Amino acid sequence: MRRLRSALGAVVAGCTVVGALALAGCSSGDGGASGQGSGTGGGDRTLVVFAAASLTDTFTTIAHRFEQDHAGVTVKLSFAGSSDLVAQLQEGAPADVFASADEPNMTKLTDAGLAAGDPVPFATNVLTIVTPPDDPAGITSFQDLAKPDAKVVVCAPQVPCGNATKEVEAATGVTIKPVSEESQVTDVLAKVTSGEADAGLVYVTDAQGALAKDSSSLKQIEFPEASKAVNTYPIVAVKDSEHAELASEFVAAVTSAAGQKVLKDAGFGAP
């Protein structure tokens, strides 16, 4: 995206948050944050952050730090596929910050006039193959995902991880015939770890996160063709946010040295 900037003027002195609520998808009402901010005025302000599902662990950490550093602030995190989140924003869903897993979905937001300023790239990610620990289909390469008897799960084409899958297929000439296409990358991972699928394509960060929690939960198979589709993650404050200054500070927290370390530790690449 040509309008992306690699630097953000605002500087945040720290980034902390206690009690951030990670939600599966956009929510309102009963699913809201409970106001467990630091200081005596917890819940005085609620910052709503829409973020790609692959950012669940890292943004929860960054949000925890941000909230601790901003007395009276509760960060309400809503995670889903980037395309779903953009659609919700276009339909009027209230949010203060949007972080996409790719640039095309961010372009939809900016083209709709819903971004407050230029989006800032903050991370990159690539795909990897995951299988159950016993690898029932004998997957050792990207080409093996085209085996007729392999039950493969991928992301839907409109989702960033699905679009990346299509790009790798086009670059390699390999055609995968998945048994299902999921609306977010975490659903692909769940079907593999539960044994419902023989293999799936997820981001490196999702695989590393799952293995960090349980090293026996799956098998990861890296493949060189993944470099054919590198997703850049941009973030922006949403136009007409009720907490514009706070939204800008959250963006700055993500792009700060501390935020970048959280992302790097999780396996994300530099923007």
Side-chain angles (χ1 to χ4, degrees):
M1 189 188 309
R2 295 180 179 176
R3 290 181 290 176
L4 290 177
R5 298 186 308 213
S6 61
L8 186 68
V11 176
V12 174
C15 48
T16 18
V17 179
V18 173
L21 180 61
L23 301 178
C26 178
S27 74
S28 59
D30 293 343
S34 59
Q36 297 176 353
S38 61
T40 59
D44 290 347
R45 292 178 293 171
T46 298
L47 187 73
V48 180
V49 178
F50 277 20
S54 53
L55 295 166
T56 299
D57 290 343
T58 52
F59 265 44
T60 297
T61 297
I62 292 171
H64 277 299
R65 296 178 179 180
F66 185 87
E67 196 175 78
Q68 274 186 341
D69 204 48
H70 292 75
V73 172
T74 296
V75 178
K76 179 180 175 181
L77 295 166
S78 186
F79 299 108
S82 298
S83 57
D84 288 342
L85 293 174
V86 171
Q88 291 173 32
L89 290 168
Q90 290 174 326
E91 292 169 2
D96 302 294
V97 177
F98 172 56
S100 175
D102 69 351
E103 294 175 322
N105 277 294
M106 181 61 79
T107 297
K108 293 178 184 177
L109 189 84
T110 56
D111 286 351
L114 297 176
D118 294 332
V120 182
F122 66 92
T124 56
N125 215 346
V126 294
L127 296 174
T128 191
I129 300 168
V130 289
T131 74
D134 58 348
D135 189 9
I139 304 297
T140 61
S141 66
F142 185 77
Q143 288 74 17
D144 285 344
L145 296 177
K147 287 182 176 181
D149 58 344
K151 294 185 292 184
V152 180
V153 180
V154 300
C155 291
Q158 68 271 20
V159 183
C161 57
N163 183 58
T165 298
K166 291 298 182 184
E167 289 183 12
V168 177
E169 286 182 285
T172 59
V174 174
T175 300
I176 301 171
K177 295 182 179 179
V179 294
S180 72
E181 296 180 335
E182 305 300 322
S183 61
Q184 55 189 26
V185 67
T186 48
D187 291 341
V188 174
L189 186 66
K191 288 207 168 184
V192 173
T193 56
S194 68
E196 294 180 60
D198 295 330
L201 280 167
V202 301
Y203 292 121
V204 168
T205 52
D206 293 286
Q208 289 185 9
L211 288 168
K213 294 172 184 176
D214 181 0
S215 60
S216 64
S217 61
L218 55 82
K219 179 180 178 181
Q220 179 185 357
I221 303 165
E222 295 184 356
F223 59 99
E225 298 90 345
S227 62
K228 302 295 183 180
V230 179
N231 278 10
T232 296
Y233 286 54
I235 187 171
V236 73
V238 178
K239 186 178 180 181
D240 298 328
S241 163
E242 294 183 0
H243 308 295
E245 183 176 352
L246 199 62
S248 295
E249 290 179 7
F250 188 85
V251 171
V254 171
T255 59
S256 70
Q260 290 293 292
K261 185 178 186 306
V262 170
L263 292 157
K264 181 180 179 181
D265 290 347
F268 285 94

